[in-house]
Amino acid sequence: MSQADFETSDIDTYDYIVVGAGSAGSVVANRLSANPRHKVLLLEAGPASNPWTSIPIGFAKLIENPKANWLYSAEPEANTNGRSIPVPRGKLLGGSSSINGLVFVRGQSQDFDTWAQMGNKGWSYESVLPHFKSIESYDGGEDEFRGRNGPLRVTDPDETGPLYEALFEAAGQVNIPHNPDYNGATQEGISMSQATISNGRRMSTAQCFLEPIRGRRNLNIVTDALTEALVLDGKRCVGVRYSVRGATLEARVNREVIVSAGTINSPQLLELSGIGQPERLQGLGVDVQHALAGVGENLRDHYAPRTRWTITAPGVTYNDKARGAKLVMQAMKYFFFHKGMMGIPAAPIRAFVRSREGLEAPDVLLGWVPMLYEPGYKLSKTPGVTCYAHAMRPDSTGHIHISSADPKAPPTINFNFLSSSTDADITVRAVRIVRDLMTAPAMAALGTKELLPGESLTTDDEILAWIKEVAETTYHPVGTCKMGPDPLAVVDDQLKVHGIEGLRVADASIMPTLTSGNTNAPSIMIGEKAASMVLASASQA
Ligand SMILES: Cc1cc2nc3c(=O)[nH]c(=O)nc-3n(C[C@H](O)[C@H](O)[C@H](O)COP(=O)(O)OP(=O)(O)OC[C@H]3O[C@@H](n4cnc5c(N)ncnc54)[C@H](O)[C@@H]3O)c2cc1C
């Protein structure tokens, strides 16, 4: 999507430059360019689109697709048993919202209250709630918590059937209540997953925040444009240098550059521009422009084992419902009615639960995929169900740093998963909760049997050893340009980079801690709030 009448070389000075058209950046660009007097440049390293983005099942086709995905991987580490964990990231308009699992979860009110208590004024739940409401149009209707008039369409899946009924009933049998809206008054309980899907189509931020404004002549969207460095004049950011179709160009800015390149690439871009840990940068031959110790630190993600269960009751899982010729039926169901396997989010049912009594709020997320699948998300021959389980607010932190001054070289990613013993303990408890639920009478009635971790693994040590063998992320890295007032913070509560004028970061990297659940909704909220802060600054200037 490139403005046909807006050549990149014509205008090289803008009021605002946004780097990265992902979940947050697309929203920032939309809101800033709503005023026709603002000239806005939006730079995206990836292409405008991919044929698989609009179909929800395209998730499985994009997760290893180099045409829409940065395809990063983490360094081998002790608690992955030396495995290198894949780190997929969207590389196209819409960013990761164009390749993700389409599940829509805000998190708990306590998540944002914690951010505020860490010294971030204006980020309490009460303060961010209006932004959550203004981004969405939820088909469940408007109330104190939900919005109905925003650009992002959010729906309740209408999947039904014996498997879903049994899961809800089994949850009740182990005292997990049904919650009709986990994005409402309280998160706790088992629910159908709300999804960024409407009429069977993916609602990425490209679809909802960029497509409708294609005609704005004051917004220049340039795709396949890799921002290689920020241009600094002393302690002020005055522009960016980027490469597009073999040419290296520079764009200048009157007001601000907003970096929304995501948790992996935002710290990478700061470091490439000389903002970060001096010794590290000097060691790679990067001129130090500004010492900032926290750049790339505080990396957090959800580390989740996938438990696997076989089911003998016929016709209840997609392994049965999409087998052989029935796959054609699924395709027809999708194309004529926008329903069935091709139109569901990656995990259409989820539960937010407490790992132990006495906790104030849930600390564990369980997500069910109504099928068994092999590596590469290929349907297994054996009918069954997959359930992942993880600690929602892990304490373990890792880091991301450049390994070279070359902007095209992938950064080095170290998660340090389970370096906190609390995370290990909660993850083991999470697996035990899955077992309790999957062996409750309602699930047993479907002929459910544990495949992995396997009934023979019973002690905490055995379960933990298995987790280290198999767990992967649920693709929610955050925190590498964290917001706060402390020495390791990269941005302040206005998302301004500490010590640099004219530069903000607005994406998942600013989260000081992980939110309780998936991270697309909070990233979009961050984009919305960032834009309102930028506009407020402009009106005060
Ligand atoms: C496979 C997968 C499944 C997921 N499933 C879910 C889910 O079901 N629900 C959920 O809530 N969350 C999910 N997530 C996470 C969620 O999508 C992300 O947390 C969210 O999209 C992050 O938004 P962001 O704006 O920080 O970054 P992104 O959306 O990743 O955007 C960053 C953008 O910047 C661009 N960029 C990077 N570097 C440069 C550069 N140097 N120059 C120009 N452009 C650049 C990128 O190409 C990208 O478009 C998933 C993520 C993945 C990858």
Side-chain angles (χ1 to χ4, degrees), residues 19-25 43-46 59 63 69-70 88-97 99-105 225-228 260-263 265-266 268-269 346 474-478 506-509 518-523:
V19 178
S23 295
L43 295 172
E44 168 52 46
F59 161 77
I63 198 150
N69 192 325
W70 292 88
R89 294 282 92 195
K91 187 180 183 183
L92 70 170
L93 288 186
S96 298
S97 79
I99 71 162
N100 73 11
L102 306 104
V103 174
F104 190 77
V105 179
L226 180 74
T227 305
E228 299 189 344
S260 298
T263 295
N265 299 103
S266 285
Q268 178 195 32
L269 183 58
T474 50
Y475 321 121
H476 301 150
V478 306
D507 56 29
S509 73
N518 312 51
T519 45
N520 191 35
S523 304

Side-chain angles (χ1 to χ4, degrees), residues 285-366:
V286 176
D287 286 342
V288 178
Q289 305 292 333
H290 183 61
L292 205 48
V295 175
E297 301 296 320
N298 189 49
L299 172 64
R300 296 165 192 253
D301 203 343
H302 292 133
Y303 188 50
R306 273 72 168 167
T307 71
R308 288 158 61 87
W309 305 80
T310 57
I311 287 186
T312 53
V316 302
T317 74
Y318 277 117
N319 301 98
D320 273 345
K321 292 193 280 185
R323 187 187 302 283
K326 290 187 203 156
L327 190 56
V328 178
M329 296 300 290
Q330 289 295 333
M332 288 171 65
K333 202 170 171 182
Y334 175 73
F335 286 109
F336 291 113
F337 306 107
H338 308 138
K339 287 175 189 273
M341 188 178 76
M342 293 174 72
I344 57 171
I349 188 164
R350 62 199 43 243
F352 301 92
V353 299
R354 300 171 204 227
S355 64
R356 66 181 85 212
E357 278 181 25
L359 293 178
E360 194 185 309
D363 59 342
V364 160
L365 172 57
L366 316 178

